Amino acid sequence: MTTNPQETTPNDWDTRSPDVQADQVAAYDAMRSKCPVAHDDYMGYSLLKNADIKYALEHPEIFSNKVSTRHIAVPNGMDAPEHTAFRAVNDKYFTPDRMQVFEPQIRQVVKSLVSKLPRNEVFDAMDGFAQLYAVRIQNVFMGWPASLEQPLIEWVEKNRRATLAGDREQMGKIALEFDGYIRALLDERRGADAAADITAELIQDVIDLPQDLGGPRTMTDEELISLIRNWTVGELSTVSACAGIILAFLAEHPQEQDRLRTSLAVGKTAEIAAAVEEVMRLQDPLVTNRRVTTQPVEIGGRSIPAGAKVTINWASANRDEDAFEDATTYNPHRSQENNLVYGQGLHVCPGAPLARLELRVLMEELLATTDLIEFGGANPTQNAVYPAAGYSKVLTRIS
């Protein structure tokens, strides 16, 4: 019989409790000071300190990304050398040259969406705008049809609910539904009149695997679907959260709005980029990632056995007082050396260049086409619950 290494470990908290979910950021801040490596049955050992998380990221041979033996996850659920080969193909789609070519397309999408926002009336930014913003940019980037927008929005919401409920049977059905969308897109791009887009390129890409792993080859459909799922699901949920986080931040800081509008008017776009980076640090759009230990390890003063589930808590790491002076205070001119919004090391977020571009353009267009962004009414925000980040409601008024 195989023993679960966490069965006899006492719990320090319950990450799914109403108290934690009511305000995840505050709960993680509080636990970080009391118990920097906190255990519970759902997340296993949560690493909450910036330095401890950096150690885990720097030692993938101890903290493995291969957390599932049932499903492949390309490339984020792989370890080297397999990860290295798949990541090389992944990264060629997020080069500076590609981002420069794609920027006008992103800006056109964002301009159109922002221009349709209601003026001088209260609306919920999370209901319609945030999700549509994420899906539409993703579709344009991948070369997918507009008819896929609504199914993807609905799919993301179904997936979120099933994940929150821990309903593995439903999660499996939802995953198969997504696979069906992607298989259809792949089949269309194998025809004689196939569109020349990223999805079509991926079909032809060669993974330069070492000989002991089979040698160079193209990806299987299962691998293609997994890679595309990683891009799509990761981007849609986090970028949607980012839209709400940015709008809520601007509404809460009218003086910073004015400063950034002035910077934008004189072409200082670096100020916008710096503001986005700091806003994301304060309220990370991705709460956690998983790891599994390959050997016993001591970290943060705690002994963790081999085979244990470990959770990297990005939201906590980026508000760590030992990593940032006045960590919970907005300061766009601070050093971002310890900012782990996009991770670090071998598994640094592959889509970081695209995310930074999307968010900079979003903030630029919001500021350029408005005079004031403010909250609408009492209790204008409602915190999202795990696995989502940011807000589930942002009541906003723009003029």
Side-chain angles (χ1 to χ4, degrees):
M1 178 183 294
T2 301
T3 302
N4 184 334
Q6 292 165 165
E7 279 180 352
T8 59
T9 304
N11 288 335
D12 302 298
W13 61 343
D14 177 3
T15 52
R16 303 180 80 181
S17 71
D19 288 344
V20 171
Q21 291 305 314
D23 190 338
Q24 293 183 72
V25 172
Y28 303 146
D29 284 348
M31 182 55 72
R32 182 176 60 250
S33 64
K34 293 188 296 184
C35 185
V37 181
H39 182 269
D40 82 320
D41 293 333
Y42 183 57
M43 289 191 181
Y45 295 89
S46 289
L47 305 186
L48 301 170
K49 295 289 289 182
N50 192 282
D52 291 340
I53 289 173
K54 280 187 174 180
Y55 179 86
L57 300 179
E58 291 163 2
H59 293 85
E61 76 282 3
I62 301 175
F63 297 89
S64 170
N65 269 53
K66 200 167 185 177
V67 298
S68 174
T69 57
R70 294 181 301 169
H71 306 289
I72 63 167
V74 180
N76 58 311
M78 296 174 164
D79 294 329
E82 189 180 28
H83 171 269
T84 307
F86 280 89
R87 183 64 189 256
V89 168
N90 186 109
D91 289 359
K92 79 174 197 174
Y93 292 98
F94 300 97
T95 62
D97 286 346
R98 289 223 185 207
M99 295 302 99
Q100 185 176 10
V101 170
F102 190 48
E103 181 168 350
Q105 296 176 62
I106 284 185
R107 196 171 295 279
Q108 183 178 1
V109 168
V110 175
K111 274 182 180 289
S112 174
L113 288 171
V114 171
S115 71
K116 294 172 184 174
L117 289 175
R119 290 317 197 252
N120 298 308
E121 62 181 84
V122 176
F123 66 95
D124 183 355
M126 302 308 297
D127 183 15
F129 174 73
Q131 286 186 328
L132 186 56
Y133 157 76
V135 169
R136 188 160 294 176
I137 288 177
Q138 186 70 20
N139 278 4
V140 171
F141 181 70
M142 295 297 295
W144 293 350
S147 60
L148 201 54
E149 281 183 4
Q150 193 56 37
L152 278 177
I153 289 173
E154 293 171 2
W155 184 90
V156 169
E157 180 57 24
K158 285 188 288 187
N159 188 57
R160 186 194 69 80
R161 289 198 300 267
T163 302
L164 179 62
D167 187 339
R168 293 193 174 276
E169 181 179 354
Q170 186 64 14
M171 288 164 68
K173 291 178 181 178
I174 292 167
L176 286 175
E177 179 184 337
F178 181 87
D179 291 359
Y181 294 139
I182 305 307
R183 285 187 191 280
L185 291 165
L186 293 174
D187 289 343
E188 289 170 7
R189 280 149 182 78
R190 288 189 171 111
D193 301 322
D197 57 25
I198 285 178
T199 309
E201 281 187 69
L202 284 167
I203 294 171
Q204 303 299 323
D205 279 328
V206 173
I207 307 300
D208 191 18
L209 289 164
Q211 289 301 323
D212 62 342
L213 291 177
R217 60 171 175 80
T218 56
M219 280 184 273
T220 66
D221 275 9
E222 185 183 16
E223 289 164 346
L224 284 165
I225 290 167
S226 177
L227 175 64
I228 292 170
R229 186 193 300 117
N230 182 43
W231 285 3
T232 306
V233 177
E235 282 295 303
L236 295 184
S237 57
T238 56
V239 172
S240 175
C242 287
I245 290 167
I246 285 174
L247 273 161
F249 170 82
L250 292 173
E252 192 174 356
H253 297 85
Q255 290 184 328
E256 182 65 354
Q257 279 189 59
D258 292 342
R259 186 186 75 83
L260 291 172
R261 281 194 185 89
T262 300
S263 296
L264 186 61
V266 296
K268 292 183 178 179
T269 56
E271 290 290 318
I272 309 298
V276 169
E277 206 79 359
E278 176 71 347
V279 171
M280 295 299 105
R281 180 192 70 80
L282 283 168
Q283 198 160 7
D284 201 304
L286 177 64
V287 184
T288 64
N289 277 138
R290 292 170 59 197
R291 299 290 192 272
V292 63
T293 51
T294 62
Q295 63 187 58
V297 61
E298 184 165 324
I299 187 168
R302 187 156 200 170
S303 295
I304 301 178
K309 180 166 63 177
V310 172
T311 297
I312 304 288
N313 192 308
W314 308 111
S316 174
N318 282 327
R319 295 167 60 87
D320 185 353
E321 302 81 355
D322 292 332
F324 303 94
E325 185 178 359
D326 296 325
T328 59
T329 301
Y330 171 76
N331 177 6
H333 299 118
R334 75 164 74 242
S335 167
Q336 298 291 343
E337 180 183 1
N338 292 323
N339 191 333
L340 297 177
V341 165
Y342 300 106
Q344 196 176 82
L346 188 68
H347 294 281
V348 67
C349 176
L354 178 60
R356 284 189 167 105
L357 175 59
E358 290 172 347
L359 301 182
R360 174 175 61 79
V361 170
L362 173 61
M363 186 176 275
E364 286 176 0
E365 293 302 323
L366 283 170
L367 293 169
T369 58
T370 62
D371 296 318
L372 179 64
I373 299 169
E374 58 187 338
F375 284 134
N379 302 315
T381 63
Q382 181 174 320
N383 293 324
V385 298
Y386 190 85
Y391 304 99
S392 59
K393 177 182 75 173
V394 180
L395 297 182
T396 314
R397 182 188 294 108
I398 62 177
S399 56

